[in-house]
Amino acid sequence: MQGACVSALCVCICASVLLRSAISQSHRETDTYTECTDGYHWDPQTEHCKDINECETIPDACKGEMKCFNHYGGYLCLPRSASVIPAPEPPNTPTEACPLGYELHGDSCVDVDECEREEHDCQPSQECINTLGAFTCQCPDGYRKVGTECIDIDECRFRYCQHRCVNVPGSFSCQCEPGFQLAGNNRSCIDVNECEMGAPCSQRCYNTYGTFLCRCDQGYELGPDGFTCNDIDECSYSSYLCQYQCVNEPGKFSCVCPEGYQLLGSRLCQDINECETGEHQCTDTQTCVNIHGQYQCVDNNRCQDPYVQVSDNRCVCPVSKPACRDLPFSVVHRYMSITSERSVPSDIFQIQATSVSAGAYNTFRIRSGDDNGDFYIRQINNISAMLVLARAVSGPREYTLDLEMVSVNPLLSYQGNHQTSSALRLSIFVGPYTF
């Protein structure tokens, strides 16, 4: 209540203001703080609402000739000649009840712990947290409060995970695609080196981003499963890899040669000359003759009656012997070896006269040994001729050809042409292979 008497004819104006000793403030508590009515503020030390002095806090609260007078919960603007009679101070002992959420203990109001007294309405899944004058219901981590309920937060919608996110009640987990694993932050994905973790590659492993590749050594090929390395049978691809025989081995192949031959390089076969290497069993009375794939031991003296040996490989039929009349005067023994299936016609041996009489005319022929007509003679000139292989022959096989040179010298004839002959007995060995 307040009273004032104002008169234009009066010199003195008296204003009497009767202020109540206490104004009861009704406080409305929220979950986290206490509110006071307009004109008051909360004093945490006394835990009461305290009057605000607007005359000090509001600049020029009253205009003109008016003067600001503060009172509980507000202020008055009165003429400067007015006076205010203050009401007596309220007693120290509170006479009003404590705000909501507080209770009286002695001379002061203290907070009520609703959580401890279980005087709250939090859900079983929520945690009650006491505050000054009130309490709050807090949801567990991973939940948000909607009204009075706790709703799971779908963290996956915030794209926390690099690859895949799996939402679970109250939380989430990150997962990586195959070939990756979670980093230390449990969100990023890093490549897994499968090669260091026992990848099933049977030979070589190459790590790539998110996966791995199996590769094979030379001579192997990757199987349909992408892991196993299978041997390549190179020998089955071509019959021309080796000159004689191809042998498949794990991861490679090798060429082998038949007995009597040795490998030349890695694929070709070369005849072993046992006569030069000493790998023969010929006696001192024999001569070692090397042929394709083997050797022959021939007698040093191959002269047959009526021939007599006059030098190595040369036999002479003396004119004094009647049996020599129709035989070549001399026979020279020679040896050679050729391969099977040699291309034809092929020049294989040249015959050369060692001595020729003046005026003599020479002819060459195959005297014996060519029953099937596999050879023929091509005369080159008066003193030489070539033995030609006419047909392809296969071995192993041996020919003994008597190549004869017939000489006719009219100058030495007293009763007609004077004719003499000499022979070359050529032993031809045909090897079993084309090499």
Side-chain angles (χ1 to χ4, degrees):
M1 297 292 294
Q2 68 180 21
C5 178
V6 180
S7 173
L9 301 177
C10 294
V11 176
C12 178
I13 301 176
C14 290
S16 175
V17 179
L18 179 63
L19 303 179
R20 297 179 59 89
S21 61
I23 300 176
S24 175
Q25 303 294 328
S26 175
H27 301 287
R28 181 175 56 88
E29 303 294 338
T30 66
D31 285 348
T32 56
Y33 60 92
T34 302
E35 292 183 348
C36 297
T37 58
D38 292 340
Y40 293 86
H41 73 276
W42 179 255
D43 186 356
Q45 293 183 352
T46 61
E47 297 184 353
H48 286 82
C49 291
K50 185 177 180 181
D51 175 58
I52 298 173
N53 189 344
E54 292 85 356
C55 295
E56 294 179 356
T57 60
I58 301 176
D60 297 331
C62 296
K63 304 295 183 180
E65 296 299 324
M66 307 301 285
K67 182 179 179 182
C68 179
F69 291 90
N70 183 60
H71 73 96
Y72 289 109
Y75 68 97
L76 295 174
C77 291
L78 301 175
R80 292 186 179 276
S81 59
S83 62
V84 176
I85 301 173
E89 292 291 332
N92 293 331
T93 301
T95 58
E96 298 285 337
C98 293
L100 182 65
Y102 292 84
E103 63 182 4
L104 189 62
H105 276 260
D107 296 337
S108 61
C109 293
V110 297
D111 175 60
V112 175
D113 190 343
E114 296 87 352
C115 299
E116 182 178 352
R117 297 183 181 182
E118 297 187 357
E119 296 176 355
H120 61 83
D121 56 356
C122 297
Q123 301 293 329
S125 60
Q126 299 171 349
E127 180 184 3
C128 177
I129 298 178
N130 186 62
T131 60
L132 291 175
F135 64 92
T136 60
C137 297
Q138 181 173 305
C139 294
D141 291 340
Y143 292 84
R144 61 187 177 91
K145 194 173 181 183
V146 178
T148 60
E149 299 295 330
C150 290
I151 306 300
D152 174 56
I153 299 173
D154 185 4
E155 296 86 354
C156 294
R157 63 191 177 95
F158 299 111
R159 301 180 181 271
Y160 290 137
C161 301
Q162 182 179 356
H163 282 184
R164 287 185 285 119
C165 178
V166 178
N167 186 62
V168 294
S171 183
F172 70 99
S173 63
C174 294
Q175 295 180 354
C176 297
E177 300 294 342
F180 296 87
Q181 64 182 5
L182 279 177
N185 58 11
N186 289 325
R187 294 185 180 184
S188 302
C189 293
I190 58 176
D191 176 59
V192 174
N193 190 339
E194 296 87 350
C195 299
E196 296 179 353
M197 301 177 64
C201 297
S202 61
Q203 289 186 356
R204 287 184 287 163
C205 179
Y206 294 93
N207 184 59
T208 60
Y209 189 70
T211 183
F212 65 96
L213 296 174
C214 294
R215 290 293 180 263
C216 299
D217 297 331
Q218 184 175 1
Y220 294 86
E221 61 183 356
L222 201 61
D225 60 1
F227 308 130
T228 307
C229 290
N230 301 321
D231 175 57
I232 298 174
D233 185 1
E234 297 89 350
C235 298
S236 65
Y237 288 166
S238 174
S239 59
Y240 298 100
L241 290 177
C242 298
Q243 191 173 37
Y244 174 63
Q245 183 179 357
C246 178
V247 178
N248 186 58
E249 299 177 14
K252 60 180 181 178
F253 71 95
S254 61
C255 297
V256 296
C257 296
E259 185 178 0
Y261 294 82
Q262 62 185 358
L263 203 60
L264 178 64
S266 60
R267 300 187 179 187
L268 303 179
C269 290
Q270 183 183 47
D271 172 59
I272 298 173
N273 191 335
E274 294 87 354
C275 299
E276 292 182 356
T277 61
E279 300 176 0
H280 62 83
Q281 297 178 353
C282 298
T283 64
D284 294 338
T285 61
Q286 295 176 320
T287 300
C288 179
V289 178
N290 184 64
I291 60 177
H292 284 86
Q294 54 182 326
Y295 65 92
Q296 288 283 343
C297 294
V298 298
D299 294 334
N300 294 334
N301 184 5
R302 300 192 67 183
C303 300
Q304 299 176 357
D305 188 63
Y307 287 89
V308 294
Q309 185 177 14
V310 294
S311 65
D312 291 344
N313 296 328
R314 189 168 186 266
C315 305
V316 173
C317 194
V319 294
S320 59
K321 293 184 178 183
C324 293
R325 180 174 301 176
D326 296 326
L327 297 176
F329 172 71
S330 66
V331 176
V332 177
H333 292 272
R334 290 289 184 266
Y335 310 94
M336 71 172 297
S337 179
I338 62 175
T339 59
S340 291
E341 302 301 327
R342 186 165 177 168
S343 59
V344 292
S346 178
D347 297 346
I348 62 173
F349 191 84
Q350 186 173 354
I351 309 166
Q352 185 78 31
T354 56
S355 62
V356 179
S357 300
Y361 177 72
N362 301 314
T363 59
F364 299 86
R365 67 173 183 170
I366 300 175
R367 181 182 176 91
S368 64
D370 185 24
D371 299 333
N372 297 324
D374 296 331
F375 306 89
Y376 66 87
I377 289 288
R378 185 181 77 249
Q379 187 157 342
I380 300 174
N381 51 42
N382 191 46
I383 61 173
S384 65
M386 181 67 69
L387 177 65
V388 180
L389 178 65
R391 296 192 302 180
V393 293
S394 299
R397 187 173 181 181
E398 182 180 352
Y399 293 89
T400 302
L401 302 180
D402 281 349
L403 308 179
E404 185 179 26
M405 183 181 73
V406 179
S407 299
V408 177
N409 193 341
L411 299 179
L412 299 178
S413 175
Y414 300 98
Q415 297 179 351
N417 292 338
H418 179 73
Q419 179 175 312
T420 61
S421 70
S422 60
L424 187 149
R425 184 160 291 168
L426 180 63
S427 296
I428 303 174
F429 300 94
V430 182
Y433 307 105
T434 58
F435 47 86

